[in-house]
Amino acid sequence: MGRPTIEDVAARAGVSRALVSLVMRGSPKVSDQRRAAVLKAAEELGYSPHAMARSLASRTSHVLGVMVSDLHNPFWAEVVDGLDAYARAAGFELVFNTGGRRPSRERQALTGLLSFRPAGIVLLGPVVPSGAIAAASAHTPVVLVSRSSRSPTVDTVNDDGQAGSGMAVDHLVSLGHREIVHIDGGGGSQAAPRRTGYVNAMRRHGLTPRVVRGEYTEAAGASAIRALLESPPTAVMAANDLNAVGALSALAAAGLSVPADMSVVGYDNTWLAALRHVSLTTIDQPRNEMGRLAAQALIQRVRGERTSPARHLLRPRLTVRTTTAAPR
């Protein structure tokens, strides 16, 4: 037997197809007795409504598409928690895919999400070209998280990366560090504001900036540390927590102690940073709140409650743990 259909449920319950559809949409126009009969029949047959088909039939979608640029970064899982909770409470379902931090794959992922005819799309940390985002926003509302946009049809949710990097540098300088290197996020989303914030803060303190090219991965953090060992600084500000964990691993492999030989600061304050054996000093982004605001902005657009662009810029905070101390 193939996948059960809405017609199968109607026949089992002894009602019309239209009544089954009303029950599946949660309509209040159905009596308790008939609703119970339909749900019992659906359970017995193992039937569940297909979200896309339901959207096509009603011409009203309750599906939101979500593209996660990097599934390996725990930061996004915490953003999705806030996004999912708000969306579900508002009666929307989420469909996910990923672009693997590659522009070409993200373009394909975006096209794939559009094929579901979603009510709107959230892009988490995208690196896809701006033109593709603008084109998507012509078909459905789009919200970017951790990326800026000037398009009036695209909403954004970001933390203040320049301020966050400045907090990290200020913290290290207050401990007495003068040689502070930034391992940057390369072409990653929001890497540029964090880099700019680091450079500006170093110059504000009369120090010479030193940036090592990297990306938002453990491997990049480890590679950067190995390159720095010939002329090591006393402190490193990493592009994100994954980057910082890679740096910690490379320092341990080289026989160096943190923070005695080198202090390390991350960015994001994911659950990874809070692990007791990591205990990473880092810049905290309000991850759950960012997800909640993204869902709220998208659903406002979907419901026609707002046409002007939403530009949420949240203030990060310094979270001090055990990977930073005064230099020897």
Side-chain angles (χ1 to χ4, degrees):
M1 181 179 176
R3 175 178 176 147
T5 66
I6 193 170
E7 287 81 7
D8 296 329
V9 176
R12 173 69 69 93
V15 299
S16 69
R17 182 187 187 282
L19 191 136
V20 175
S21 180
L22 286 173
V23 171
M24 294 304 166
R25 293 203 303 268
S27 171
K29 298 179 181 179
V30 183
S31 70
D32 292 343
Q33 183 179 0
R34 288 193 167 188
R35 187 186 308 279
V38 169
L39 293 177
K40 182 174 183 292
E43 183 178 1
E44 290 172 352
L45 291 170
Y47 170 81
S48 61
H50 190 287
M52 185 170 71
R54 193 169 62 223
S55 297
L56 291 174
S58 67
R59 296 188 179 182
T60 302
S61 176
H62 286 84
V63 172
L64 301 179
V66 181
M67 187 193 74
V68 187
S69 180
D70 186 3
L71 288 175
H72 299 281
N73 190 340
F75 172 77
W76 296 119
E78 298 179 56
V79 172
V80 166
D81 280 343
L83 175 63
D84 181 64
Y86 190 97
R88 287 185 180 277
F92 289 83
E93 300 177 45
L94 304 183
V95 173
F96 294 87
N97 68 4
T98 183
R101 295 186 296 107
R102 297 208 298 264
S104 60
R105 276 195 58 189
E106 286 195 5
R107 189 188 293 270
Q108 294 172 359
L110 185 53
T111 299
L113 285 178
L114 287 170
S115 72
F116 281 89
R117 301 189 187 181
I121 290 177
V122 182
L123 304 180
L124 303 182
V127 295
V128 68
S130 298
I133 295 172
S137 72
H139 297 282
T140 192
V142 174
V143 177
L144 307 181
V145 178
S146 291
R147 176 162 167 174
S148 300
S149 174
R150 295 180 180 177
S151 171
T153 60
V154 176
D155 300 320
T156 59
V157 180
N158 291 294
D159 92 310
D160 190 338
Q162 291 195 39
S165 292
M167 292 174 189
V169 172
D170 290 347
H171 169 64
L172 292 169
V173 170
S174 73
L175 293 172
H177 293 278
R178 307 287 293 175
E179 298 175 10
I180 305 167
V181 168
H182 177 44
I183 305 172
D184 85 347
S189 175
Q190 293 301 100
R194 295 178 192 182
R195 182 168 54 246
T196 298
Y198 159 80
V199 170
N200 289 345
M202 290 290 285
R203 288 175 176 164
R204 174 162 45 83
H205 287 289
L207 303 176
T208 302
R210 183 180 172 193
V211 177
V212 176
R213 187 76 169 179
E215 58 181 346
Y216 289 141
T217 63
E218 292 179 61
S223 177
I225 289 297
R226 288 191 290 269
L228 287 170
L229 289 178
E230 292 183 9
S231 179
T234 62
V236 162
M237 181 205 148
N240 68 354
D241 288 350
L242 281 179
N243 201 251
V245 168
L248 293 174
S249 179
L251 287 167
L256 297 176
S257 176
V258 175
D261 295 311
M262 192 181 297
S263 286
V264 177
V265 179
Y267 204 113
D268 288 341
N269 197 26
T270 60
W271 61 265
L272 189 63
L275 291 174
R276 191 165 72 172
H277 69 280
V278 177
S279 190
L280 178 68
T281 294
T282 185
I283 300 300
D284 178 80
Q285 293 193 72
R287 303 163 301 288
N288 194 276
E289 176 73 356
M290 292 173 79
R292 187 190 71 78
L293 287 172
Q296 181 185 62
L298 191 58
I299 292 169
Q300 285 174 345
R301 287 269 197 181
V302 169
R303 291 176 172 169
E305 297 171 355
R306 175 178 48 77
T307 57
S308 59
R311 299 282 183 255
H312 295 290
L313 186 64
L314 306 182
R315 183 75 174 176
R317 297 182 301 114
L318 173 69
T319 299
V320 178
R321 297 193 179 95
T322 63
T323 58
T324 53
R328 285 180 174 176

